[in-house]
CSV table of all heavy atoms in Angstrom, one decimal:
chain,number,residue,atom,x,y,z
W,1,MET,N,-25.0,-13.9,25.0
W,1,MET,CA,-24.0,-14.0,24.0
W,1,MET,C,-23.8,-12.6,23.4
W,1,MET,O,-24.7,-11.9,23.2
W,1,MET,CB,-24.3,-15.0,22.9
W,1,MET,CG,-23.2,-15.3,22.0
W,1,MET,SD,-23.6,-16.8,21.1
W,1,MET,CE,-21.9,-17.2,20.7
W,2,GLU,N,-22.5,-12.2,23.1
W,2,GLU,CA,-22.2,-10.9,22.6
W,2,GLU,C,-22.6,-10.8,21.1
W,2,GLU,O,-22.6,-11.7,20.4
W,2,GLU,CB,-20.7,-10.6,22.7
W,2,GLU,CG,-20.3,-10.5,24.2
W,2,GLU,CD,-18.8,-10.2,24.2
W,2,GLU,OE1,-18.2,-10.0,23.2
W,2,GLU,OE2,-18.2,-10.2,25.3
W,3,ASN,N,-22.9,-9.6,20.7
W,3,ASN,CA,-23.2,-9.3,19.3
W,3,ASN,C,-21.9,-8.9,18.7
W,3,ASN,O,-21.4,-7.8,18.8
W,3,ASN,CB,-24.3,-8.2,19.2
W,3,ASN,CG,-24.6,-7.9,17.8
W,3,ASN,OD1,-24.2,-8.6,16.9
W,3,ASN,ND2,-25.4,-6.9,17.6
W,4,VAL,N,-21.3,-9.8,17.9
W,4,VAL,CA,-20.0,-9.6,17.4
W,4,VAL,C,-20.0,-8.6,16.2
W,4,VAL,O,-19.0,-8.1,15.7
W,4,VAL,CB,-19.3,-10.9,16.9
W,4,VAL,CG1,-19.0,-11.8,18.2
W,4,VAL,CG2,-20.1,-11.7,15.9
W,5,ARG,N,-21.2,-8.4,15.6
W,5,ARG,CA,-21.3,-7.5,14.5
W,5,ARG,C,-21.6,-6.0,14.9
W,5,ARG,O,-21.7,-5.2,14.0
W,5,ARG,CB,-22.4,-7.9,13.6
W,5,ARG,CG,-22.1,-9.2,12.9
W,5,ARG,CD,-23.2,-9.6,11.9
W,5,ARG,NE,-22.7,-10.7,11.1
W,5,ARG,CZ,-22.1,-10.6,9.9
W,5,ARG,NH1,-21.9,-9.4,9.4
W,5,ARG,NH2,-21.8,-11.6,9.2
W,6,ASP,N,-21.7,-5.8,16.2
W,6,ASP,CA,-22.0,-4.4,16.6
W,6,ASP,C,-20.7,-3.6,16.6
W,6,ASP,O,-19.8,-3.9,17.4
W,6,ASP,CB,-22.6,-4.5,18.1
W,6,ASP,CG,-23.1,-3.1,18.5
W,6,ASP,OD1,-23.0,-2.2,17.8
W,6,ASP,OD2,-23.6,-3.0,19.7
W,7,PRO,N,-20.6,-2.6,15.8
W,7,PRO,CA,-19.4,-1.8,15.7
W,7,PRO,C,-19.1,-1.0,17.0
W,7,PRO,O,-17.9,-0.6,17.2
W,7,PRO,CB,-19.6,-0.8,14.5
W,7,PRO,CG,-21.1,-0.8,14.4
W,7,PRO,CD,-21.6,-2.1,14.9
W,8,ARG,N,-20.0,-0.8,17.8
W,8,ARG,CA,-19.8,-0.1,19.1
W,8,ARG,C,-19.0,-0.9,20.0
W,8,ARG,O,-18.4,-0.4,21.0
W,8,ARG,CB,-21.1,0.4,19.7
W,8,ARG,CG,-21.8,1.4,18.9
W,8,ARG,CD,-23.2,1.7,19.5
W,8,ARG,NE,-24.0,0.4,19.4
W,8,ARG,CZ,-25.2,0.3,19.8
W,8,ARG,NH1,-25.8,1.3,20.4
W,8,ARG,NH2,-25.9,-0.9,19.7
W,9,GLU,N,-18.9,-2.2,19.8
W,9,GLU,CA,-18.2,-3.1,20.7
W,9,GLU,C,-16.7,-3.2,20.3
W,9,GLU,O,-15.9,-3.8,21.1
W,9,GLU,CB,-18.8,-4.5,20.7
W,9,GLU,CG,-20.3,-4.5,21.2
W,9,GLU,CD,-20.4,-4.2,22.7
W,9,GLU,OE1,-19.5,-4.5,23.5
W,9,GLU,OE2,-21.4,-3.5,23.1
W,10,HIS,N,-16.4,-2.7,19.2
W,10,HIS,CA,-15.0,-2.9,18.7
W,10,HIS,C,-14.3,-1.5,18.6
W,10,HIS,O,-14.8,-0.7,17.9
W,10,HIS,CB,-15.0,-3.6,17.3
W,10,HIS,CG,-15.7,-4.9,17.3
W,10,HIS,ND1,-15.0,-6.0,17.7
W,10,HIS,CD2,-16.9,-5.3,16.9
W,10,HIS,CE1,-15.8,-7.0,17.6
W,10,HIS,NE2,-17.0,-6.6,17.2
W,11,TYR,N,-13.3,-1.4,19.4
W,11,TYR,CA,-12.5,-0.2,19.4
W,11,TYR,C,-11.3,-0.3,18.5
W,11,TYR,O,-10.8,-1.3,18.3
W,11,TYR,CB,-12.1,0.2,20.8
W,11,TYR,CG,-13.2,0.3,21.8
W,11,TYR,CD1,-13.5,-0.7,22.7
W,11,TYR,CD2,-14.0,1.5,21.8
W,11,TYR,CE1,-14.6,-0.5,23.5
W,11,TYR,CE2,-15.1,1.6,22.6
W,11,TYR,CZ,-15.4,0.6,23.5
W,11,TYR,OH,-16.4,0.7,24.3
W,12,ASN,N,-11.0,0.9,17.9
W,12,ASN,CA,-9.8,0.9,17.0
W,12,ASN,C,-8.6,0.8,17.9
W,12,ASN,O,-8.1,1.9,18.4
W,12,ASN,CB,-9.9,2.2,16.2
W,12,ASN,CG,-8.8,2.2,15.1
W,12,ASN,OD1,-8.1,1.2,14.9
W,12,ASN,ND2,-8.7,3.3,14.4
W,13,GLU,N,-8.0,-0.4,18.0
W,13,GLU,CA,-6.9,-0.5,18.9
W,13,GLU,C,-5.6,0.0,18.3
W,13,GLU,O,-4.6,0.4,18.9
W,13,GLU,CB,-6.7,-2.0,19.3
W,13,GLU,CG,-7.9,-2.5,20.1
W,13,GLU,CD,-7.8,-4.0,20.4
W,13,GLU,OE1,-6.9,-4.6,20.0
W,13,GLU,OE2,-8.7,-4.5,21.1
W,14,GLU,N,-5.5,-0.1,17.0
W,14,GLU,CA,-4.3,0.3,16.2
W,14,GLU,C,-4.7,1.4,15.3
W,14,GLU,O,-5.3,1.1,14.2
W,14,GLU,CB,-3.7,-0.9,15.5
W,14,GLU,CG,-2.4,-0.6,14.8
W,14,GLU,CD,-1.9,-1.8,14.0
W,14,GLU,OE1,-2.4,-2.9,14.2
W,14,GLU,OE2,-1.0,-1.5,13.1
W,15,PRO,N,-4.4,2.6,15.5
W,15,PRO,CA,-4.8,3.7,14.7
W,15,PRO,C,-4.1,3.6,13.3
W,15,PRO,O,-3.0,3.2,13.2
W,15,PRO,CB,-4.3,5.0,15.3
W,15,PRO,CG,-3.4,4.5,16.4
W,15,PRO,CD,-3.6,3.1,16.7
W,16,ARG,N,-4.9,3.8,12.3
W,16,ARG,CA,-4.4,3.7,10.9
W,16,ARG,C,-4.4,5.1,10.3
W,16,ARG,O,-5.1,6.0,10.6
W,16,ARG,CB,-5.4,2.9,10.1
W,16,ARG,CG,-5.6,1.5,10.5
W,16,ARG,CD,-4.5,0.7,10.1
W,16,ARG,NE,-4.7,-0.7,10.5
W,16,ARG,CZ,-3.7,-1.6,10.4
W,16,ARG,NH1,-2.5,-1.3,9.9
W,16,ARG,NH2,-3.9,-2.8,10.8
W,17,HIS,N,-3.4,5.3,9.4
W,17,HIS,CA,-3.2,6.6,8.7
W,17,HIS,C,-3.4,6.2,7.2
W,17,HIS,O,-2.4,6.0,6.5
W,17,HIS,CB,-1.9,7.2,9.0
W,17,HIS,CG,-1.7,7.5,10.4
W,17,HIS,ND1,-2.3,8.5,11.1
W,17,HIS,CD2,-0.9,6.9,11.4
W,17,HIS,CE1,-1.9,8.5,12.3
W,17,HIS,NE2,-1.1,7.6,12.5
W,18,ASP,N,-4.6,6.2,6.8
W,18,ASP,CA,-4.9,5.7,5.4
W,18,ASP,C,-4.3,6.6,4.4
W,18,ASP,O,-3.8,6.0,3.4
W,18,ASP,CB,-6.4,5.7,5.2
W,18,ASP,CG,-7.1,4.7,6.1
W,18,ASP,OD1,-6.5,3.7,6.4
W,18,ASP,OD2,-8.3,4.9,6.3
W,19,LEU,N,-4.2,7.9,4.5
W,19,LEU,CA,-3.6,8.7,3.5
W,19,LEU,C,-2.1,8.4,3.4
W,19,LEU,O,-1.6,8.3,2.3
W,19,LEU,CB,-3.8,10.2,3.8
W,19,LEU,CG,-3.2,11.2,2.8
W,19,LEU,CD1,-3.8,11.0,1.5
W,19,LEU,CD2,-3.4,12.6,3.3
W,20,MET,N,-1.4,8.3,4.5
W,20,MET,CA,0.0,8.0,4.5
W,20,MET,C,0.2,6.6,3.9
W,20,MET,O,1.2,6.4,3.2
W,20,MET,CB,0.6,8.1,5.9
W,20,MET,CG,0.7,9.5,6.4
W,20,MET,SD,1.4,10.7,5.3
W,20,MET,CE,3.1,10.1,5.2
W,21,ASP,N,-0.7,5.6,4.2
W,21,ASP,CA,-0.5,4.3,3.6
W,21,ASP,C,-0.6,4.4,2.0
W,21,ASP,O,0.1,3.8,1.3
W,21,ASP,CB,-1.6,3.4,4.1
W,21,ASP,CG,-1.4,3.0,5.5
W,21,ASP,OD1,-0.2,3.1,6.0
W,21,ASP,OD2,-2.3,2.5,6.2
W,22,VAL,N,-1.6,5.2,1.6
W,22,VAL,CA,-1.7,5.4,0.1
W,22,VAL,C,-0.5,6.1,-0.5
W,22,VAL,O,0.0,5.7,-1.5
W,22,VAL,CB,-3.0,6.2,-0.2
W,22,VAL,CG1,-3.1,6.6,-1.7
W,22,VAL,CG2,-4.2,5.4,0.2
W,23,VAL,N,0.0,7.1,0.2
W,23,VAL,CA,1.2,7.9,-0.3
W,23,VAL,C,2.4,7.0,-0.4
W,23,VAL,O,3.1,6.9,-1.4
W,23,VAL,CB,1.4,9.1,0.6
W,23,VAL,CG1,2.8,9.7,0.3
W,23,VAL,CG2,0.3,10.1,0.4
W,24,PHE,N,2.6,6.2,0.7
W,24,PHE,CA,3.8,5.3,0.7
W,24,PHE,C,3.6,4.2,-0.3
W,24,PHE,O,4.6,3.8,-1.0
W,24,PHE,CB,4.0,4.7,2.1
W,24,PHE,CG,4.6,5.7,3.1
W,24,PHE,CD1,4.1,5.7,4.4
W,24,PHE,CD2,5.6,6.5,2.7
W,24,PHE,CE1,4.7,6.6,5.3
W,24,PHE,CE2,6.2,7.4,3.6
W,24,PHE,CZ,5.7,7.5,4.9
W,25,GLY,N,2.4,3.7,-0.5
W,25,GLY,CA,2.2,2.6,-1.5
W,25,GLY,C,2.4,3.2,-2.9
W,25,GLY,O,3.0,2.5,-3.7
W,26,PHE,N,1.8,4.3,-3.2
W,26,PHE,CA,2.0,4.9,-4.5
W,26,PHE,C,3.4,5.3,-4.8
W,26,PHE,O,3.9,5.0,-5.8
W,26,PHE,CB,1.1,6.2,-4.6
W,26,PHE,CG,1.1,6.8,-6.0
W,26,PHE,CD1,0.3,6.3,-6.9
W,26,PHE,CD2,2.0,7.8,-6.2
W,26,PHE,CE1,0.3,6.9,-8.2
W,26,PHE,CE2,2.0,8.4,-7.5
W,26,PHE,CZ,1.1,7.9,-8.5
W,27,GLY,N,4.1,5.9,-3.8
W,27,GLY,CA,5.5,6.2,-4.0
W,27,GLY,C,6.4,5.0,-4.1
W,27,GLY,O,7.3,5.0,-5.0
W,28,GLY,N,6.1,4.0,-3.4
W,28,GLY,CA,6.9,2.7,-3.5
W,28,GLY,C,6.7,2.1,-4.8
W,28,GLY,O,7.7,1.6,-5.5
W,29,MET,N,5.5,2.0,-5.3
W,29,MET,CA,5.2,1.4,-6.6
W,29,MET,C,5.8,2.3,-7.7
W,29,MET,O,6.3,1.7,-8.7
W,29,MET,CB,3.7,1.3,-6.8
W,29,MET,CG,3.3,0.4,-8.0
W,29,MET,SD,4.1,-1.2,-7.9
W,29,MET,CE,2.9,-2.2,-8.6
W,30,LEU,N,5.7,3.6,-7.6
W,30,LEU,CA,6.3,4.5,-8.6
W,30,LEU,C,7.8,4.3,-8.7
W,30,LEU,O,8.4,4.1,-9.8
W,30,LEU,CB,6.0,5.9,-8.2
W,30,LEU,CG,6.6,7.0,-9.2
W,30,LEU,CD1,5.8,6.9,-10.5
W,30,LEU,CD2,6.4,8.4,-8.6
W,31,ILE,N,8.5,4.2,-7.5
W,31,ILE,CA,10.0,3.9,-7.6
W,31,ILE,C,10.3,2.6,-8.2
W,31,ILE,O,11.2,2.4,-9.0
W,31,ILE,CB,10.5,4.1,-6.1
W,31,ILE,CG1,10.5,5.5,-5.7
W,31,ILE,CG2,12.0,3.5,-6.1
W,31,ILE,CD1,10.8,5.7,-4.2
W,32,PHE,N,9.5,1.6,-7.8
W,32,PHE,CA,9.7,0.2,-8.3
W,32,PHE,C,9.5,0.2,-9.8
W,32,PHE,O,10.4,-0.4,-10.6
W,32,PHE,CB,8.8,-0.8,-7.6
W,32,PHE,CG,8.8,-2.2,-8.2
W,32,PHE,CD1,9.9,-3.0,-8.0
W,32,PHE,CD2,7.7,-2.6,-9.0
W,32,PHE,CE1,9.9,-4.2,-8.6
W,32,PHE,CE2,7.8,-3.9,-9.6
W,32,PHE,CZ,8.9,-4.7,-9.4
W,33,MET,N,8.5,0.8,-10.3
W,33,MET,CA,8.2,0.8,-11.8
W,33,MET,C,9.2,1.6,-12.5
W,33,MET,O,9.6,1.3,-13.7
W,33,MET,CB,6.8,1.3,-12.0
W,33,MET,CG,5.7,0.4,-11.5
W,33,MET,SD,5.9,-1.3,-12.1
W,33,MET,CE,5.1,-1.2,-13.7
W,34,THR,N,9.8,2.7,-11.9
W,34,THR,CA,10.8,3.5,-12.5
W,34,THR,C,12.1,2.7,-12.7
W,34,THR,O,12.8,2.7,-13.7
W,34,THR,CB,11.1,4.7,-11.7
W,34,THR,OG1,9.9,5.5,-11.6
W,34,THR,CG2,12.1,5.6,-12.3
W,35,VAL,N,12.4,1.9,-11.6
W,35,VAL,CA,13.6,1.0,-11.7
W,35,VAL,C,13.4,-0.1,-12.8
W,35,VAL,O,14.3,-0.3,-13.6
W,35,VAL,CB,13.9,0.4,-10.3
W,35,VAL,CG1,14.9,-0.7,-10.4
W,35,VAL,CG2,14.3,1.4,-9.3
W,36,VAL,N,12.2,-0.7,-12.8
W,36,VAL,CA,11.9,-1.7,-13.9
W,36,VAL,C,12.0,-1.1,-15.3
W,36,VAL,O,12.6,-1.6,-16.2
W,36,VAL,CB,10.5,-2.3,-13.7
W,36,VAL,CG1,10.1,-3.1,-14.9
W,36,VAL,CG2,10.5,-3.1,-12.4
W,37,PHE,N,11.5,0.2,-15.4
W,37,PHE,CA,11.6,0.8,-16.7
W,37,PHE,C,13.1,1.1,-17.1
W,37,PHE,O,13.5,0.9,-18.3
W,37,PHE,CB,10.8,2.2,-16.7
W,37,PHE,CG,11.0,3.0,-17.9
W,37,PHE,CD1,10.3,2.7,-19.1
W,37,PHE,CD2,11.8,4.1,-17.9
W,37,PHE,CE1,10.5,3.4,-20.2
W,37,PHE,CE2,11.9,4.9,-19.0
W,37,PHE,CZ,11.3,4.6,-20.2
W,38,ALA,N,13.9,1.6,-16.1
W,38,ALA,CA,15.3,1.9,-16.4
W,38,ALA,C,16.0,0.6,-16.8
W,38,ALA,O,16.8,0.6,-17.8
W,38,ALA,CB,15.9,2.6,-15.2
W,39,VAL,N,15.8,-0.5,-16.1
W,39,VAL,CA,16.4,-1.7,-16.4
W,39,VAL,C,16.0,-2.2,-17.8
W,39,VAL,O,16.9,-2.7,-18.6
W,39,VAL,CB,16.1,-2.8,-15.4
W,39,VAL,CG1,16.6,-4.2,-15.8
W,39,VAL,CG2,16.8,-2.4,-14.1
W,40,ALA,N,14.7,-2.0,-18.2
W,40,ALA,CA,14.3,-2.5,-19.5
W,40,ALA,C,14.9,-1.6,-20.6
W,40,ALA,O,15.3,-2.1,-21.6
W,40,ALA,CB,12.7,-2.3,-19.6
W,41,VAL,N,15.1,-0.3,-20.4
W,41,VAL,CA,15.7,0.5,-21.4
W,41,VAL,C,17.2,0.2,-21.5
W,41,VAL,O,17.7,0.1,-22.7
W,41,VAL,CB,15.6,2.0,-21.0
W,41,VAL,CG1,16.4,2.9,-21.8
W,41,VAL,CG2,14.1,2.4,-21.1
W,42,ILE,N,17.9,-0.1,-20.4
W,42,ILE,CA,19.3,-0.5,-20.5
W,42,ILE,C,19.4,-1.8,-21.2
W,42,ILE,O,20.3,-1.9,-22.1
W,42,ILE,CB,19.9,-0.5,-19.1
W,42,ILE,CG1,20.0,0.9,-18.5
W,42,ILE,CG2,21.3,-1.2,-19.1
W,42,ILE,CD1,20.3,0.9,-17.0
W,43,VAL,N,18.6,-2.8,-20.9
W,43,VAL,CA,18.7,-4.1,-21.6
W,43,VAL,C,18.4,-3.9,-23.1
W,43,VAL,O,19.0,-4.5,-23.9
W,43,VAL,CB,17.7,-5.1,-20.9
W,43,VAL,CG1,17.5,-6.3,-21.8
W,43,VAL,CG2,18.1,-5.4,-19.6
W,44,LYS,N,17.4,-3.1,-23.5
W,44,LYS,CA,17.1,-2.8,-24.9
W,44,LYS,C,18.3,-2.2,-25.6
W,44,LYS,O,18.6,-2.6,-26.7
W,44,LYS,CB,15.9,-1.9,-25.0
W,44,LYS,CG,15.5,-1.7,-26.5
W,44,LYS,CD,14.3,-0.8,-26.6
W,44,LYS,CE,13.9,-0.6,-28.0
W,44,LYS,NZ,14.9,-0.2,-28.9
W,45,PHE,N,19.0,-1.3,-25.0
W,45,PHE,CA,20.2,-0.7,-25.6
W,45,PHE,C,21.3,-1.7,-25.7
W,45,PHE,O,22.1,-1.6,-26.7
W,45,PHE,CB,20.6,0.6,-24.9
W,45,PHE,CG,19.9,1.8,-25.2
W,45,PHE,CD1,19.2,2.6,-24.2
W,45,PHE,CD2,19.7,2.2,-26.5
W,45,PHE,CE1,18.5,3.7,-24.6
W,45,PHE,CE2,19.0,3.4,-26.9
W,45,PHE,CZ,18.4,4.1,-25.9
W,46,ILE,N,21.4,-2.6,-24.8
W,46,ILE,CA,22.5,-3.6,-24.8
W,46,ILE,C,22.2,-4.6,-25.9
W,46,ILE,O,23.1,-5.0,-26.7
W,46,ILE,CB,22.6,-4.3,-23.4
W,46,ILE,CG1,23.2,-3.3,-22.4
W,46,ILE,CG2,23.5,-5.5,-23.6
W,46,ILE,CD1,23.3,-3.9,-21.0
W,47,ILE,N,21.0,-4.9,-26.1
W,47,ILE,CA,20.6,-5.9,-27.1
W,47,ILE,C,20.8,-5.3,-28.5
W,47,ILE,O,21.2,-6.0,-29.4
W,47,ILE,CB,19.1,-6.4,-26.9
W,47,ILE,CG1,19.1,-7.3,-25.6
W,47,ILE,CG2,18.6,-7.2,-28.1
W,47,ILE,CD1,17.7,-7.7,-25.2
W,48,SER,N,20.3,-4.1,-28.7
W,48,SER,CA,20.4,-3.5,-30.0
W,48,SER,C,21.6,-2.7,-30.3
W,48,SER,O,22.7,-2.9,-29.9
W,48,SER,CB,19.2,-2.6,-30.2
W,48,SER,OG,19.2,-1.5,-29.3
């Protein structure tokens, strides 16, 4: 029976770019939160 926990048996079939994933995640969240902030400010000015 194979040793399924042996990392030498598992090859990285799909290369990952961790730094780019972090950059896109951070940038996407930054843009989303900026839009939420802008909408909140507009709603506050409309209410008051």
Side-chain angles (χ1 to χ4, degrees):
M1 189 166 205
E2 295 180 5
N3 183 6
V4 296
R5 293 184 169 267
D6 187 1
R8 293 172 296 178
E9 298 293 324
H10 301 281
Y11 299 103
N12 190 6
E13 296 175 1
E14 183 182 348
R16 299 280 183 192
H17 301 287
D18 293 334
L19 180 61
M20 290 309 293
D21 288 342
V22 170
V23 168
F24 285 137
F26 185 83
M29 192 56 145
L30 181 66
I31 291 170
F32 173 73
M33 293 307 276
T34 303
V35 169
V36 168
F37 174 75
V39 169
V41 168
I42 291 170
V43 168
K44 183 182 183 309
F45 277 126
I46 289 174
I47 290 174
S48 61

